[in-house]
Amino acid sequence: MGTRRSYGGLDRFRIIAAVLVIAIHTSPLSSFTAEGDFFLTRILARIAVPFFFMVTGQFVLPDIISRRRGSERRLLRYLKKTALLYGVAIGIYLPIGIYAGHYKEITAGSLLKMLLFDGTFYHLWYFPACLLGVGLVYLMSRCMDKKGMMALSGGLYVLGLLGDSYYGLVEKVPFLSIIYEAGFQIFSYTRNGIFLAPIFLVLGAEIGGEQPVGRRKGAGEKSLSGTGFDALCFAFSFLAMTGEAFVLRHQELQRHDSMYLALIPTMICLYRVLLAWNKKPAKVLRILGGWIYILHPAMIVVVRGAARVLHMTELLVDNSLGHYLAVTVLSAAAAFGVSLLSIRLSRRKFACSRAWVELDMEALGQNADYLQSRLPKGCSLMPAVKADAYGHGAVSVAKALRQKGIRSFAVACAEEAVALREQGIEGEILILGYTHPDEFALLCRYGLSQTVVDASYGEALDRYGRGRKEKIHVHIGVDTGMHRIGEPWENIDRIEELFHREYLAVEGMFTHLCADDVLEKREREFTLGQARAFYRLAEQLRERGCVCPKIHLQSSYSVLNYPELGGDYARVGIALYGVLSTREDTRKWKDVLRPVLSLKARVAAVKELHAGESAGYGLQFTADREMRIATLSIGYADGLPRALSGGRGRVLVGGIKVPVIGRICMDQTIVDVSRVPRVKTGDEVVLIGSSGQEEITAADLAGWAGTISNEILSRLGGRLERAIRY
Ligand SMILES: *Cc1c(COP(=O)(O)O)cnc(C)c1O
């Protein structure tokens, strides 16, 4: 089981890399030691930009390289975003550049050179390099395989190297130096999108896509030594790079000092170490690092200006270290401000304008704590976040639960699991249902655990696993009486076989209780019988030497009604969201379980209806008196059941429960607001949740519609907006 991959290390190193870039542009040690400054800014700090390229490679390119569906659209989106950021940065630096006289003799050629290769301000070359590099790698991926791409981008790097720190060699060969001099008419340096970026983009995609060195149970020691080995390799490569750089410097071979031979192994090892650095992802740091990078040259200008005004040039400008520190602190502060602003702006998108759900994440956490408190020691929650976490939004729910230390999740199908992984959810994700063999590849690629729906399905999985790098991770489904999926518990021999299959890694075994919600005699006996059969099977398997790390059988109702049944996991769904399937059960547990979700919409129009007039489709409702009616901006396409039509459903308007009239439409619903004073367009109405003294639960809605709250919640439409309260 266990955590697969964490990007927290990358997020943190971004800050270090950004601070190293500031060093390149301020030479912190130049007042004290020229050699020391060379080491810091021309050797150590040279890992920063390749690192940024590798991160880009990891997150942008794998889909492109493996030609996944929709990858070209995503690539285009990335290119647009980067171009936009480049545009913003150009805007920021244009006045400074003009003031400094950078654009005095501008021609079409020099403009193109600046925009495509050199950047319009000295550090801005990075953005066109990203665009050019990613574009180039895309073209490569359409003409060759991974090995070819690696070879070609490596070749380009060597060509770049010869125009950079090895230029002295080129100068000795007249023919070559003519070619390079011609090249330097087009770009000022070879450290650009053509020669430097591609290799690191490709390496980032490759290393980022590697299965992490097993952080799985039993492989712990190997993983440690794996990372230790990478760290050692990093130290050696970096030492080699240092030697290389000093030799080149003393031989006076360098034209520029961005590219070294040993930089490649140094970056490979460093990146591996960073990926193994198991820290929580930190979005703020991710954004912050980028803004420090963009803003620091402006802060250099600010520090110089301020130092002059404050008469502190000696400390803040002439002293290289003081200058560096001032620029770094100021850049970090400015970047922090911009990051907060950009996060706030991006939040605004979740306006509550038409129809939306509001999520109370505090309630979610409390429900999780309560359910956990009922369980025996050693039994942990494996929340069911299938069906978009019962309409709550699987990613937000999983993220909130991960912060509480929950590490395992259950979903219904591979698509749901992949969606979670792509949003950065780590830990164990168990697919509870059937996955078609065409999608088995997703199990490996995303490190998912699959339910063995019966023994022959286990065979198919095993067959697929043959010859793969890693075994297929499975939980064996056992049927103890529900007769839905799972190998019948009586077939112990067939189940035992699954444990011996070479390409399956059995991580768990589970059954599902199907009558644990009713406490009558028949259901009680049936449930206890299911549990007995399951535990007997587990015991017999153990006696036969089958190791099964996790066994589980409970879901919401059994945690409430039979907490003593235990197991290693409880796959809780509905109760975690603070309701139960029926109105009676929800009421019974309302003191300890708080609803997480509210469903709201707005009044779109208020109308008077005279006696004898009808409203809605099919003339189904006719007024028998003077009425005031309101049209709400929510309909059955949003998940409001059409079965609530004709007065069966109620909604809260101004804290008063009012009936639905006529037929619910796809996008709108009409209610009777005759009893509600002062209703106006734009007012908020509550379909699930509380308002004033009144409350409508998902279970109430379900009762009116003749179903259970699980169905109501899981069918809430994807069109709903979402507002999250933490
Ligand atoms: C959906 C599901 C659960 C969660 O059920 P709740 O009753 O919502 O807690 C647990 N186990 C399996 C196999 C499921 O399909």
Side-chain angles (χ1 to χ4, degrees), residues 384 386 390 432 484 510 512 555-557 571-575 710:
K386 57 192 182 182
Y390 295 41
L432 294 171
R484 187 169 67 172
F510 71 95
H512 195 48
S555 49
S556 293
Y557 271 99
R571 305 179 305 267
V572 288
I574 193 70
N710 313 44

Side-chain angles (χ1 to χ4, degrees), residues 382-384 386 390 410-412 432-433 451 482 484-485 510-513 516 552-558 570-577 580-581 710:
M382 177 193 258
K386 57 192 182 182
Y390 295 41
V411 295
L432 294 171
T451 294
M482 184 177 190
R484 187 169 67 172
I485 57 166
F510 71 95
T511 192
H512 195 48
L513 306 174
D516 54 356
H552 43 113
L553 70 168
Q554 300 203 311
S555 49
S556 293
Y557 271 99
S558 46
R571 305 179 305 267
V572 288
I574 193 70
L576 190 62
Y577 305 109
L580 288 163
S581 299
N710 313 44

Side-chain angles (χ1 to χ4, degrees), residues 217 474-476 478 495 499 506-510 534 537-538 541-542 545-552 568:
K217 227 183 183 162
V474 298
H475 286 227
I476 298 172
V478 177
I495 295 174
F499 281 87
V506 178
E507 296 186 325
M509 181 172 84
F510 71 95
F534 182 64
L537 170 69
L541 286 168
R542 213 173 357 250
C546 301
V547 188
C548 186
K550 304 281 181 190
I551 59 174
H552 43 113
D568 296 303

Side-chain angles (χ1 to χ4, degrees), residues 94-266:
L94 205 58
I96 305 178
I98 291 172
Y99 179 76
H102 284 181
Y103 320 121
K104 278 225 175 89
E105 288 157 24
I106 206 117
T107 61
S110 69
L111 186 68
L112 214 58
K113 177 175 175 178
M114 210 152 52
L115 281 175
L116 281 182
F117 297 107
D118 295 352
T120 53
F121 204 69
Y122 55 84
H123 71 312
L124 293 184
W125 68 272
Y126 173 76
F127 291 98
C130 265
L131 295 169
L132 219 56
V134 168
L136 211 57
V137 174
Y138 167 74
L139 290 180
M140 287 184 202
S141 73
R142 300 297 117 150
C143 323
M144 55 190 81
D145 63 359
K146 274 191 203 170
K147 279 202 192 106
M149 295 171 65
M150 200 70 86
L152 181 54
S153 50
L156 287 171
Y157 184 79
V158 171
L159 291 179
L161 205 61
L162 288 171
D164 196 89
S165 33
Y166 282 82
Y167 190 61
L169 298 182
V170 167
E171 277 181 320
K172 296 197 175 107
V173 187
F175 164 70
L176 277 182
S177 63
I178 290 173
I179 295 180
Y180 271 85
E181 279 310 319
F184 290 132
Q185 299 299 312
I186 303 171
F187 34 75
S188 301
Y189 303 101
T190 50
R191 57 107 180 87
N192 59 29
I194 296 179
F195 302 107
L196 176 67
I199 183 69
F200 293 111
L201 290 166
V202 171
L203 283 174
E206 181 63 25
I207 299 172
E210 281 173 5
Q211 282 292 324
V213 251
R215 263 191 227 118
R216 302 171 179 290
K217 227 183 183 162
E221 283 143 61
K222 205 170 96 213
S223 117
L224 243 157
S225 70
T227 307
F229 180 73
D230 287 335
L232 204 66
C233 288
F234 167 70
F236 271 117
S237 318
F238 183 67
L239 210 63
M241 185 164 109
T242 307
E244 182 187 2
F246 274 107
V247 167
L248 293 169
R249 173 176 157 91
H250 288 284
Q251 299 291 318
E252 295 182 0
L253 290 178
Q254 291 184 299
R255 177 178 183 274
H256 189 62
D257 41 36
S258 280
M259 302 166 82
Y260 301 104
L261 267 179
L263 182 59
I264 303 265
T266 301

Side-chain angles (χ1 to χ4, degrees), residues 3-81:
T3 315
R4 263 79 185 191
R5 171 139 279 174
S6 154
Y7 303 124
L10 299 182
D11 290 348
R12 278 155 187 76
F13 195 77
R14 268 168 192 268
I15 302 295
I16 300 176
V19 169
L20 284 175
V21 172
I22 301 182
I24 297 178
H25 297 141
T26 52
S27 296
L29 301 181
S30 58
S31 304
F32 314 101
T33 145
E35 300 284 294
D37 196 67
F38 178 76
F39 171 74
L40 174 62
T41 63
R42 311 292 128 168
I43 304 174
L44 180 61
R46 288 310 186 196
I47 61 184
V49 168
F51 164 78
F52 284 122
F53 283 133
M54 289 176 88
V55 175
T56 300
Q58 173 174 352
F59 290 101
V60 178
L61 292 175
D63 285 358
I64 291 290
I65 294 173
S66 53
R67 305 190 187 195
R68 294 260 306 282
R69 201 155 20 104
S71 63
E72 284 174 347
R73 203 163 358 107
R74 276 199 295 276
L75 174 74
L76 215 58
R77 211 175 326 138
Y78 166 78
L79 293 176
K80 263 194 211 154
K81 209 175 110 186

